[in-house]
Amino acid sequence: MSKTLYDKIWNEHLVHEQIDGTSLLFVDRHLIHEVTSPQAFEGLRNTNRKVRQPNLTLAVVDHNIPTTDRSKGIDDEESRIQVETLEKNCKDFGIKLFGMTDKRQGIVHIVGPEQGFTQPGTVIVCGDSHTATHGAFGSLAFGIGTSEVEHVLATQTLVQKKAKNFRINVNGKLALGVTSKDVILQIIGKIGTAGGTGSVIEYAGTLISNLSVEQRMTICNMTIEGGARAGLIQPDEKIFNYLKGRPMSPKNENWDKALNYWSNLKTDNDAEFDKEINLNGKDIIPMVTWGTSPEDVIPINGKIPNPENESNLDKKNSIIRSLKYMGLKPDTAVKDIKIDKVFIGSCTNGRIEDLREAAKILKEKKKASHVHAMVVPGSGLVKEQAEQEGLDKIFINSGFEWREPGCSMCLAMNADKLKPEERCASTSNRNFEGRQGRGGRTHLVSPGMAAAAAISGNLDDVRKYNN
Amino acid sequence: MKKFTSLKSIPAYLPIVNIDTDMIIPKQFLKTIKRTGLGKNLFYEMRYDNDGKVIENFVLNKKPYNNSNILIAGNNFGCGSSREHAPWALLDFGITCVISTSYADIFYNNCFKNGILPIVLDEDKIKELSEYSNRQEEILVDLKDEKITYGNNEVSFKIDPFKKKCLMEGLDDIALSLEKSDKIKSFEDKLKIKKPWLFNDQS
Ligand code: SF4
């Protein structure tokens, strides 16, 4: 029978299947970080269990760490304890860790691909919902809870039930200034935050295959915001070239074997999907979120929705609630919304291409004087690369702060956060209430749009600066 | 893990859609290295004001809902971050059963690892049950027969048989998987031959 790429990866990883479909799935790659792993190691210790395959696990610190000078350590005691706990756990259980002062340190979903740890056809898990990012390499990658982290550490497997197959075809071309961030925001707006629940989404179509590896990661990254378990894209030459020569990529004869295997990872032509939708690139323009759910998207030239136009009472109440939180009036033009902060970074848009895109807009321009703006590169290596290209100078000259890598204001666990009622144009992935700081107001945008907002001082159309 | 068989409680009703795990337990409480003690910070930003004072009219701050073991909520409960701190916080507060029309996958799975039963019902049933919350009447959740009894009414729900067994018997699923160590071992042995690159190139 014809199979989808997801079906094939699933079958390749089945260790055991019960009659009811509950399956034990082998995990090839496990990423861990300081926030969702301590209780898992505690569980192992309490039950005297070992880590089954320490070599298949890679640890980084990212969520909690300061993005300012690292040489002084971490002031916040709880954060420091978490980081130290991870260090100790990795040492005790023999797991490789990129610690806070390691150049290779960064956001877990940026480090995995960058090191070649992320590979096509693998099952990759991490105690973090944005693990979906790695699906850009044609791997089945998804987030898990801490009990499951413990399960993977102890058994190198995971108990799962098969999800449904959902395909999103995107064809056509993107206009100048429109990016894969706008594509995924549009998709989430269309399917809703629960639209992918219980499914694995495969992104296909010419527009997707024309995207760079980095842009593909942005799409897969936000798959979780559409509720899907994972998002994946068939791997191709671009992926293989990206991986070639990375520190943890296969080498020598193993490279040839791997390449041979990877080249056959595709959905059969006549494979059937439980659900399928189509989009065309020409219909996609720069997008912004206006509310407190990633499905609350509107085009940059649009207006804030009016709850009076909504007939469903629950939806109406939800719009009213969001507008109140966001401090917005119905029917306001999006471009009239003044912002206080700009955040460029996160596992969605903290890669080198994202920084290049923002820098292109900011070159020889200054941010608006009332705006506080910062760039947090996704990893130490992204930071280094950007500095080699002189991007840091461009950002600093326009008035941005240039920080050390980490999750930073994407979730505001460290010192980088919004104050109540502060409004931010952010390249991250979640605009939930309080996500970037209690009472903080987040508008999700692409890196170019964030740069445009920094210059204009309000949400603005990047295409204006794109000539 | 504590067993779940049946539960009788006045449910608390939180009629908000897309309740995300950031809302259930904000990030400042993820700095813990323990599973316990999170209950007091459950729904923190809705329960306390900017000065940390209790917001009296938030449902979980009010009697009798501050002792509810059942939470009824709007669509798509538990979306967003994978943090298991969300079910830990619910559990620590005393909530061992959630009722909604749908859940985000990761949250749903996390519930079962912590002895929490997430029930899926249609929207109109949820509205009916929410009346019992408003009237402060108890409802009875019975996992064995997969049904909820409220007043003279009943509604059944579905739950995966394996997940049900684990909940009812309070099983440790790591122990269950470790019983299959031989299978895992032979899988690994084959994998090392078929895809050697997965093991060899970890520099
Ligand atoms: S950057 Fe944001 S979304 Fe990505 S892993 Fe860090 S906190 Fe999570």
Side-chain angles (χ1 to χ4, degrees):
Chain A
M1 219 180 72
S2 302
K3 294 195 174 60
T4 66
L5 177 54
Y6 167 54
D7 296 338
K8 292 181 187 179
I9 302 177
W10 174 273
N11 291 345
E12 279 271 306
H13 289 82
L14 269 181
V15 173
H16 177 75
E17 187 176 7
Q18 290 173 203
I19 355 174
D20 69 350
T22 305
S23 305
L24 205 58
L25 213 57
F26 190 78
V27 172
D28 306 297
R29 294 285 183 260
H30 187 197
L31 290 154
I32 57 173
H33 62 82
E34 77 277 20
V35 175
T36 57
S37 67
Q39 295 86 351
F41 285 105
E42 182 193 37
L44 290 182
R45 285 202 178 87
N46 290 343
T47 46
N48 257 324
R49 287 173 180 144
K50 289 203 295 274
V51 174
R52 185 176 178 92
Q53 292 277 5
N55 284 332
L56 300 184
T57 301
L58 176 65
V60 298
V61 289
D62 57 0
H63 279 64
N64 225 330
I65 52 170
T67 55
T68 44
D69 185 6
R70 299 259 166 87
S71 57
K72 289 178 280 181
I74 306 178
D75 285 342
D76 183 288
E77 196 190 338
E78 286 181 300
S79 298
R80 197 181 62 240
I81 290 173
Q82 246 180 6
V83 168
E84 287 168 359
T85 304
L86 183 64
E87 283 166 2
K88 177 167 185 346
N89 286 334
C90 287
K91 197 156 162 251
D92 291 357
F93 289 90
I95 292 167
K96 190 185 188 88
L97 165 76
F98 295 161
M100 204 166 73
T101 51
D102 193 310
K103 198 169 79 181
R104 298 165 297 179
Q105 173 271 334
I107 305 169
V108 63
H109 310 307
I110 293 196
V111 171
E114 197 168 69
Q115 292 297 319
F117 186 73
T118 301
Q119 293 171 14
T122 52
V123 168
I124 304 180
V125 298
C126 173
D128 188 281
S129 57
H130 289 98
T131 309
T133 314
H134 309 263
F137 289 78
S139 60
L140 174 59
F142 53 93
I144 55 177
T146 298
S147 296
E148 291 176 312
V149 170
E150 186 181 337
H151 191 283
V152 176
L153 289 171
T155 69
Q156 203 57 37
T157 63
L158 202 58
V159 180
Q160 284 281 302
K161 265 205 160 171
K162 186 131 188 252
K164 293 207 170 80
N165 279 294
F166 182 176
R167 181 158 62 186
I168 299 183
N169 303 298
V170 196
N171 287 297
K173 279 210 172 79
L174 289 178
L176 185 70
V178 186
T179 66
S180 64
K181 180 71 166 277
D182 304 300
V183 175
I184 188 65
L185 283 173
Q186 173 124 352
I187 288 173
I188 296 160
K190 199 173 162 115
I191 68 172
T193 46
T197 304
S199 310
V200 165
I201 296 178
E202 178 172 347
Y203 299 96
T206 50
L207 193 146
I208 300 292
S209 51
N210 285 332
L211 292 175
S212 68
V213 175
E214 281 86 353
Q215 288 174 320
R216 293 179 196 182
M217 284 193 252
T218 304
I219 297 219
C220 289
N221 172 277
M222 285 191 73
T223 301
I224 187 71
E225 265 61 64
R229 198 171 300 171
L232 48 79
I233 297 173
Q234 179 183 311
D236 59 9
E237 282 303 310
K238 280 186 195 161
I239 295 291
F240 311 147
N241 290 337
Y242 176 100
L243 286 173
K244 185 142 202 183
R246 304 248 162 200
M248 295 181 181
S249 288
K251 303 202 174 62
N252 308 322
E253 71 270 36
N254 269 343
W255 172 261
D256 300 328
K257 282 186 199 162
L259 195 62
N260 184 36
Y261 178 74
W262 296 345
S263 309
N264 289 310
L265 290 166
K266 32 177 89 94
T267 289
D268 294 329
N269 281 337
D270 46 355
E272 280 188 26
F273 285 79
D274 300 287
K275 196 172 168 187
E276 198 152 5
I277 62 167
N278 299 297
L279 265 78
N280 196 303
K282 71 174 176 1
D283 303 325
I284 303 174
I285 72 163
M287 306 294 285
V288 186
T289 62
W290 57 267
T292 54
S293 165
E295 69 188 15
D296 299 338
V297 296
I298 28 168
I300 182 65
N301 52 18
K303 282 197 168 106
I304 299 300
N306 192 327
E308 293 311 316
N309 301 335
E310 178 58 60
S311 52
N312 178 311
L313 190 67
D314 284 347
K315 281 200 186 132
K316 183 173 171 170
N317 287 336
S318 149
I319 297 176
I320 294 172
R321 183 187 162 90
S322 293
L323 290 182
K324 179 161 176 251
Y325 180 87
M326 292 296 290
L328 292 172
K329 294 214 166 49
D331 300 321
T332 311
V334 175
K335 286 189 224 165
D336 288 342
I337 300 173
K338 205 171 150 198
I339 53 147
D340 308 300
K341 287 210 165 157
V342 170
F343 171 66
I344 297 178
S346 87
C347 59
T348 312
N349 285 127
R351 283 171 285 270
I352 188 68
E353 271 202 16
D354 303 311
L355 303 192
R356 285 184 194 136
E357 189 194 318
K360 195 176 79 192
I361 305 296
L362 289 167
K363 197 164 185 180
E364 284 154 24
K365 295 199 183 67
K366 295 266 180 240
K367 69 165 180 69
S369 57
H370 70 274
V371 172
H372 175 257
M374 64 196 274
V375 187
V376 181
S379 72
L381 294 175
V382 169
K383 180 168 186 256
E384 187 182 69
Q385 169 83 24
E387 286 171 355
Q388 274 166 15
E389 296 178 19
L391 305 185
D392 57 324
K393 300 266 168 3
I394 298 179
F395 285 116
I396 293 166
N397 286 340
S398 9
F400 276 67
E401 288 179 21
W402 179 248
R403 296 289 191 92
E404 297 298 320
C407 293
S408 176
M409 215 163 70
C410 173
L411 95 162
M413 254 185 103
N414 67 358
D416 311 335
K417 47 177 82 113
L418 298 180
K419 296 190 195 85
E421 303 194 358
E422 256 183 348
R423 189 179 297 284
C424 179
S426 176
T427 66
S428 54
N429 42 54
R430 286 186 175 141
N431 51 349
F432 298 157
E433 289 182 21
R435 171 77 178 185
Q436 293 194 293
R438 184 173 187 147
R441 295 162 174 169
T442 305
H443 296 275
L444 302 176
V445 290
S446 72
M449 287 282 284
I455 303 168
S456 302
N458 45 267
L459 294 173
D460 207 351
D461 194 335
V462 58
R463 292 172 295 181
K464 186 167 123 183
Y465 296 107
N466 233 325
N467 306 312
Chain B
M1 191 175 85
K2 251 179 96 178
K3 294 178 188 171
F4 188 110
T5 45
S6 68
L7 175 64
K8 199 177 201 179
S9 167
I10 298 170
Y13 180 44
L14 200 54
I16 301 176
V17 297
N18 293 328
I19 292 180
D20 56 73
T21 53
D22 277 75
M23 234 186 245
I24 300 173
I25 186 84
K27 63 241 157 194
Q28 62 269 36
F29 306 112
L30 308 189
K31 294 184 182 180
T32 174
I33 54 170
K34 300 215 154 36
R35 290 175 203 244
T36 49
L38 290 164
K40 59 180 183 297
N41 302 320
L42 176 72
F43 292 114
Y44 185 84
E45 288 176 9
M46 290 193 259
R47 259 169 89 200
Y48 307 98
D49 68 13
N50 284 341
D51 305 321
K53 274 213 341 252
V54 172
I55 298 173
E56 299 290 348
N57 69 356
F58 180 67
V59 57
L60 296 181
N61 287 335
K62 284 191 291 201
K63 267 190 180 167
Y65 309 111
N66 56 350
N67 287 314
S68 289
N69 305 118
I70 302 175
L71 180 69
I72 306 177
N75 304 345
N76 195 27
F77 188 82
C79 59
S81 153
S82 64
R83 59 188 71 162
E84 200 163 319
H85 308 70
W88 295 337
L90 288 166
L91 188 67
D92 199 58
F93 182 88
I95 289 169
T96 48
C97 174
V98 187
I99 303 175
S100 171
T101 56
S102 65
Y103 301 88
D105 287 336
I106 305 176
F107 175 83
Y108 189 75
N109 276 337
N110 281 341
C111 283
F112 291 96
K113 315 281 175 192
N114 293 285
I116 297 175
L117 172 65
I119 296 177
V120 177
L121 289 182
D122 289 345
E123 211 158 333
D124 46 334
K125 287 292 166 204
I126 293 211
K127 290 266 142 75
E128 274 180 45
L129 286 176
S130 68
E131 285 306 313
Y132 283 74
S133 174
N134 297 340
R135 294 204 303 265
Q136 308 191 355
E137 284 182 43
E138 286 183 327
I139 63 171
L140 172 70
V141 175
D142 178 0
L143 176 57
K144 183 164 156 285
D145 292 334
E146 300 183 20
K147 67 174 191 212
I148 302 174
T149 312
Y150 52 107
N152 295 323
N153 306 306
E154 259 181 34
V155 56
S156 41
F157 58 87
K158 281 225 152 26
I159 211 90
D160 175 275
F162 180 69
K163 289 197 160 88
K164 176 174 167 180
K165 183 176 146 81
C166 291
L167 268 189
M168 291 197 59
E169 298 174 21
L171 296 177
D172 165 8
D173 65 349
I174 298 181
L176 288 180
S177 297
L178 283 173
E179 286 172 10
K180 307 201 181 73
S181 290
D182 288 353
K183 290 201 161 187
I184 302 173
K185 174 82 173 54
S186 72
F187 186 97
E188 282 165 346
D189 289 344
K190 279 188 226 141
L191 193 64
K192 280 178 185 155
I193 297 165
K194 191 173 177 205
K195 302 176 192 166
W197 64 88
L198 288 175
F199 296 87
N200 289 342
D201 295 298
Q202 304 296 317
S203 58

